[in-house]
Amino acid sequence: MVKIIFINAFLYLLIIAGFIILFFDSIRIVYYKLILRGRLRANTANKGKLELTLAKALHTSLGKRVSPGAFIASLTIIFTTFFLISIKTLSLVSSLIISSLVGSLPCLLIWIRLEAIRRRGSHEGEILVSEFLRQYRLTNYNVYETLERIVEAKIDIKNTRRLIYKLLIDLRSTGNPKRIKEATEDFAYAIQTNWSNMLAHNIYIAASKGTNVTLAIEDILIQLREARAMVEERKRLNNEATRMTYFMVPLVYIATAFMAVKYLDLPLKRFLYNQLYTQEGFVILILIIFFFVANIALLSLVINQRFDY
């Protein structure tokens, strides 16, 4: 039965892909019509901001530019596929709920990835700002050479080095103050802390106007060193909840399945059938996966806080 479920899912994906290929031109025309119609509405600015925010989140978390429209289309395909699979065993309302939960999982995973990048990058703030200030003075206050030296420097900034490298490329490819502002805002968004916003703003001023920002960078560094004491205190907090979520939940599920097969004389095929092809088992499995991912997201938000002042 498990094979049948995967075969059905594969066939549904083929059917959806076939319809997209067959009516691609019509779909593209309708898509552009909707975009043009949306631009005529009064809330176009808000939509543009939402699309820009989604594009930045995808770019930061995935490491490459992904169209927000393509991401939303992927979510739609996932939702449709699971709806067509679940409608065979569940009611209409239950199928809609389960499909919505599964469709929201990629969004949760993107958010978790984004927060993890921001958290790790934020903890590199003191080293990054200190090295920026040192190289800024050595290069006679040339921000471009400063960023280039930071990229080449042998310091422990694994996460922010990639962001600095991207920022350097963006700055060297344009002299337009507006584009420089956008590049520095992308850098600040990837970390989303007070110190990254201040550093990005000072880089923008130094790159677009040639202003000496040494005093401002020194002030950021002083505040980061003061914040270090609070971070050290935070590290003493108990991490048992994180370990339980990442390791205990999957182990408990596997152990429960093992005991059901071993001690209750339940054949493995029957267990898989009950879990995947019955209404109750399928709903419970989806809820387990969804709440597991949601738990990780909440822990990432509460425990793994970013280093900031």
Side-chain angles (χ1 to χ4, degrees), residues 58-122:
L58 292 171
H59 186 204
T60 302
S61 57
L62 300 178
K64 56 183 180 180
R65 295 198 178 275
V66 177
S67 170
F71 180 71
I72 294 173
S74 301
L75 296 181
T76 304
I77 291 174
I78 293 173
F79 173 85
T80 305
T81 302
F82 272 87
F83 177 78
L84 293 174
I85 294 172
S86 60
I87 195 64
K88 291 185 175 181
T89 55
L90 305 177
S91 64
L92 177 61
V93 176
S94 299
S95 298
L96 289 173
I97 294 173
I98 293 299
S99 302
S100 299
L101 292 177
V102 174
S104 65
L105 285 178
C107 298
L108 273 174
L109 293 173
I110 290 293
W111 185 81
I112 292 172
R113 170 69 175 165
L114 179 62
E115 287 300 311
I117 292 173
R118 286 174 169 174
R119 177 177 56 83
R120 292 194 297 266
S122 69

Side-chain angles (χ1 to χ4, degrees), residues 155-268:
I155 54 177
D156 188 17
I157 52 169
K158 180 180 178 181
N159 297 280
T160 50
R161 190 191 307 276
R162 177 176 59 85
L163 300 175
I164 290 292
Y165 178 70
K166 178 183 176 298
L167 175 60
L168 177 62
I169 292 176
D170 291 341
L171 292 181
R172 287 200 179 278
S173 63
T174 183
N176 188 336
K178 184 178 179 181
R179 295 292 180 87
I180 294 174
K181 182 72 171 177
E182 291 175 356
T184 54
E185 286 178 349
D186 286 344
F187 169 79
Y189 177 84
I191 304 176
Q192 200 67 28
T193 58
N194 290 328
W195 70 258
S196 66
N197 291 331
M198 293 299 296
L199 179 61
H201 180 68
N202 282 285
I203 292 174
Y204 162 70
I205 293 175
S208 61
K209 301 179 182 179
T211 306
N212 187 337
V213 294
T214 304
L215 293 178
I217 300 299
E218 286 178 349
D219 184 61
I220 296 173
L221 184 58
I222 291 171
Q223 294 187 65
L224 284 174
R225 286 172 176 170
E226 292 175 353
R228 174 62 59 185
M230 294 186 292
V231 172
E232 294 299 328
E233 182 67 24
R234 191 184 302 160
K235 285 182 179 179
R236 299 174 187 173
L237 296 176
N238 196 338
N239 290 325
E240 289 182 2
T242 304
R243 290 193 293 269
M244 288 178 63
T245 301
Y246 278 97
F247 302 110
M248 288 300 296
V249 172
L251 286 176
V252 167
Y253 177 81
I254 294 172
T256 303
F258 174 78
M259 288 187 291
V261 174
K262 181 73 174 177
Y263 299 106
L264 298 180
D265 296 327
L266 182 67
L268 181 60

